[in-house]
């Protein structure tokens, strides 16, 4: 990117107001800036991971109005006025989200890079479908890649959190 285009982008920045993890938030950014960049760079919420930056790996998954979406390909203009939840907002005041506890109990993780995205996809699934079938879990995680291959433990943890052991 040339310095001219950086200046141009800066000149076109707008104040975008949205809610993150229950708190109102305003950022001055170019409206096409991906939500992921704002979360990590502006708001320092580093739990949402940068993977492919192309909407393909699911590492950057967050909730927007309760729906699991990839944030690397979501422009800030589309987030204005909406509610975003990141992995930092998943746990309640009472402690870990039941999914997080189930992942700990099942040892569902290796390097951990994919886990915040997987947890956010799984949390959206359980909010809609408290006891999902294997097919429903597989469909919900379709866009979440885990290069360490911990899928079996991830599925066990999700079924445990949903009150369903295999
Ligand atoms: S970083 Fe967003 S889908 Fe890969
Ligand atoms: S635990 Fe390493 S990528 Fe999933």
């Amino acid at each position: 990117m040339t310095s001219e285009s950086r200046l141009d982008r800066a000149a076109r920045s707008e104040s975008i107001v949205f809610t993150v993890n229950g708190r109102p938030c305003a950022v001055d950014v170019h409206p096409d800036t991906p939500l992921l960049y704002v979360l990590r760079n502006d708001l320092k919420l580093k739990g949402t991971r940068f993977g492919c930056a192309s909407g393909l790996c699911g590492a950057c998954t967050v909730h927007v109005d309760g729906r699991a979406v990839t944030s690397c390909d979501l422009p800030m203009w589309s987030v204005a006025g909406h509610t975003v939840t990141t992995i930092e907002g998943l746990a309640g005041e009472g402690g870990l989200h039941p999914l997080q506890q189930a992942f700990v109990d099942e040892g569902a993780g290796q390097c951990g890079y994919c886990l915040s995205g997987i947890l956010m996809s799984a949390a959206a699934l359980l909010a809609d479908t408290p006891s999902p079938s294997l097919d429903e879990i597989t469909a919900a995680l379709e866009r979440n890649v885990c290069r360490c291959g911990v899928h079996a433990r991830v599925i066990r943890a999700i079924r445990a959190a949903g009150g369903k052991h295999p």
Side-chain angles (χ1 to χ4, degrees):
M1 184 183 293
T2 67
S3 57
E4 273 185 4
S5 64
R6 270 201 297 271
L7 284 173
D8 184 48
R9 289 179 74 81
R12 290 175 55 207
S13 70
E14 293 176 12
S15 178
I16 294 180
V17 179
F18 62 123
T19 301
V20 181
N21 298 334
R23 295 190 181 166
C25 176
V27 289
D28 288 321
V29 289
H30 188 286
D32 290 340
T33 305
L35 171 62
L36 174 63
Y37 298 1
V38 169
L39 292 174
R40 289 184 57 87
N41 299 337
D42 297 78
L43 304 181
K44 308 301 179 196
L45 294 168
K46 306 279 189 179
T48 303
R49 303 300 192 194
F50 186 109
C52 65
S54 303
L56 298 172
C57 76
C60 65
T61 303
V62 298
H63 295 175
V64 174
D65 299 335
R67 201 165 63 86
V69 295
T70 50
S71 59
C72 67
D73 54 358
L74 195 68
M76 283 304 296
W77 61 260
S78 71
V79 174
H82 292 274
T83 296
V84 174
T85 305
T86 69
I87 188 68
E88 289 88 348
L90 190 62
E93 287 180 4
L96 292 180
H97 185 285
L99 262 174
Q100 292 171 308
Q101 188 60 58
F103 272 60
V104 172
D105 294 344
E106 296 286 347
Q110 191 164 307
C111 79
Y113 202 82
C114 66
L115 288 184
S116 38
I118 287 178
L119 281 161
M120 297 311 285
S121 293
L125 169 67
L126 291 189
D128 281 344
T129 310
S131 291
S133 66
L134 183 55
D135 285 349
E136 288 169 326
I137 294 171
T138 304
L141 298 185
E142 202 172 26
R143 292 179 71 189
N144 292 92
V145 174
C146 172
R147 293 176 17 153
C148 299
V150 296
H151 306 87
R153 280 179 276 160
V154 162
I155 288 170
R156 269 205 305 275
I158 294 170
R159 299 195 91 179
K164 242 182 156 180
H165 284 277

